[in-house]
Amino acid sequence: MDPTDPPVPELQTMPLGLYDVVQFAILGAGFALLAYFLYSLTSRDEVSARYRPSSYAALCLAAVATVAYLLLYLDWDSGFRLEDGVYVPNEEARTTESTRYIDWSITVPLLTVELLAVCSLTGAAARRLRSSTMAAAFLMIVTGYLGAQVLDQGRDRVALVVWGLISTAFFAYLYVALIGAVRRSLPTMGPEAAVSLRNATIVLLSSFGIYPLVYAVPVFADVTPAWFTAMQVGYSAADVVAKIGFGVLVHKVAKLRTAEDVAAGVDTHPEPVWSSNVHKSDGVLPEVGRIAPALLDRLGTSPGREVLRRSDAVPGAAGRRREDT
């Protein structure tokens, strides 16, 4: 069958204005993700080791998404040629949507890792839930890809419905599993961290809801250039909200929980913790007996010399105190 009769969403002839709107959305989202990558890179040490996996997941997610948007922009730029005042798609335009699915197949599982890393589940229960939610997130994207891109190039409405329902089953499991993990975690943290975690979950799951709505458009109507523009802008906006807005909130939860652990004396952190310009905890270094021998060598001391005891920490400072024994 001729892929342009009727045209699939990616092979729409685009008026100048609509083409520019999509290009603006792709570039805007790409630059925002690049900025978020730099933010994640420089702020990862603001949280304790217990919650740092969330920062690492955010860093990997931002890197993958930034590269994906670079490729998406190149696909968009080279996938159309200007003819008689309109942009006509060529064979490369077909890859614009598949690039998004490749991005999501990696970044959506990482979003679940990022959220669960600041929850209170531990041990085998945490590992099982992390594995199952990552698998569900991946399968949700892959099954949606089959209906939207692979079978009859996304124009078979029966395939769209069937694979959309299969994808929705994994989508529903993610909602149930993630909400359950968050609800079990809220009573174990302070009020401010709990509010931020609840807000982060709402942002993530609300932004997730945009994708199936856009997916369903070709089921009910033929996609026009205006609809395709709305799809691209919607996907780009949802990516910014789901990856950046959610990530900033999760980072705040990790910082607040770090401060709570330091204040309770159950963990240490070498720097004071601040959130929204409010001082949350002082910098506290671990006791010498808990420092690895390799780190002791770097500090120029030995197990027979005390570098710091947590009880010697000075509020408002890094708590440095050296005593000869």
Side-chain angles (χ1 to χ4, degrees):
M1 182 181 293
D2 184 353
T4 62
D5 185 25
V8 295
E10 313 87 81
L11 297 180
Q12 300 288 324
T13 297
M14 302 294 294
L16 294 177
L18 296 182
Y19 177 91
D20 290 341
V21 168
V22 174
Q23 188 175 58
F24 179 86
I26 292 172
L27 277 175
F31 282 128
L33 287 162
L34 175 60
Y36 179 58
F37 169 77
L38 297 175
Y39 171 80
S40 300
L41 182 65
T42 56
S43 64
R44 66 190 186 281
D45 292 331
E46 293 179 351
V47 302
S48 67
R50 178 181 179 184
Y51 307 110
R52 206 163 294 153
S54 67
S55 298
Y56 293 148
L59 187 60
C60 294
L61 179 154
V64 170
T66 301
V67 173
Y69 266 84
L70 172 61
L71 296 175
L72 186 60
Y73 172 76
L74 295 175
D75 290 339
W76 187 258
D77 185 60
S78 62
F80 294 83
R81 63 183 182 275
L82 185 60
E83 293 183 4
D84 299 326
V86 294
Y87 280 98
V88 178
N90 58 38
E91 63 277 4
E92 294 184 27
R94 185 75 173 103
T95 61
T96 54
E97 286 299 281
S98 59
T99 299
R100 288 193 182 276
Y101 278 94
I102 294 170
D103 169 12
W104 297 334
S105 68
I106 300 170
T107 56
V108 174
L110 285 173
L111 286 170
T112 67
V113 174
E114 192 176 354
L115 178 62
L116 294 176
V118 296
C119 290
S120 299
L121 279 72
T122 60
R127 291 192 296 272
R128 285 195 300 270
L129 186 59
R130 184 170 58 244
S131 298
S132 64
T133 53
M134 289 182 70
F138 177 76
L139 292 171
M140 176 181 72
I141 300 302
V142 170
T143 51
Y145 176 69
L146 291 175
Q149 293 285 299
V150 176
L151 300 178
D152 196 21
Q153 300 181 344
R155 291 171 300 165
D156 187 333
R157 288 190 170 125
V158 173
L160 278 168
V161 171
V162 170
W163 287 102
L165 291 174
I166 295 173
S167 179
T168 301
F170 295 114
F171 181 80
Y173 170 76
L174 278 179
Y175 266 61
V176 173
L178 294 178
I179 291 175
V182 169
R183 292 185 64 181
R184 291 195 296 273
S185 301
L186 292 178
T188 67
M189 61 187 72
E192 189 176 359
V195 169
S196 294
L197 179 59
R198 184 169 62 248
N199 290 342
T201 307
I202 292 172
V203 167
L204 179 65
L205 298 184
S206 299
S207 61
F208 273 2
I210 296 175
Y211 300 99
L213 292 177
V214 176
Y215 174 94
V217 169
V219 175
F220 303 102
D222 291 333
V223 177
T224 63
W227 266 116
F228 182 54
T229 301
M231 290 170 62
Q232 291 289 344
V233 173
Y235 281 149
S236 299
D239 280 347
V240 169
V241 173
K243 295 177 173 70
I244 301 175
F246 165 77
V248 171
L249 286 171
V250 167
H251 185 70
K252 181 180 179 180
V253 175
K255 287 204 299 182
L256 292 172
R257 299 208 69 183
T258 296
E260 290 173 4
D261 291 348
V262 171
V266 298
D267 203 354
T268 61
H269 191 64
E271 300 176 354
V273 176
W274 293 74
S275 177
S276 302
N277 291 326
V278 177
H279 181 254
K280 298 298 182 180
S281 68
D282 295 317
V284 178
L285 292 177
E287 297 178 6
V288 66
R290 297 171 62 190
I291 299 178
L295 182 55
L296 288 174
D297 291 340
R298 290 175 57 190
L299 294 172
T301 185
S302 62
R305 292 174 59 86
E306 293 189 359
V307 178
L308 172 85
R309 292 189 184 278
R310 187 165 53 219
S311 59
D312 296 331
V314 178
R320 295 184 178 87
R321 176 177 172 183
R322 297 178 180 270
E323 295 178 357
D324 294 333
T325 58

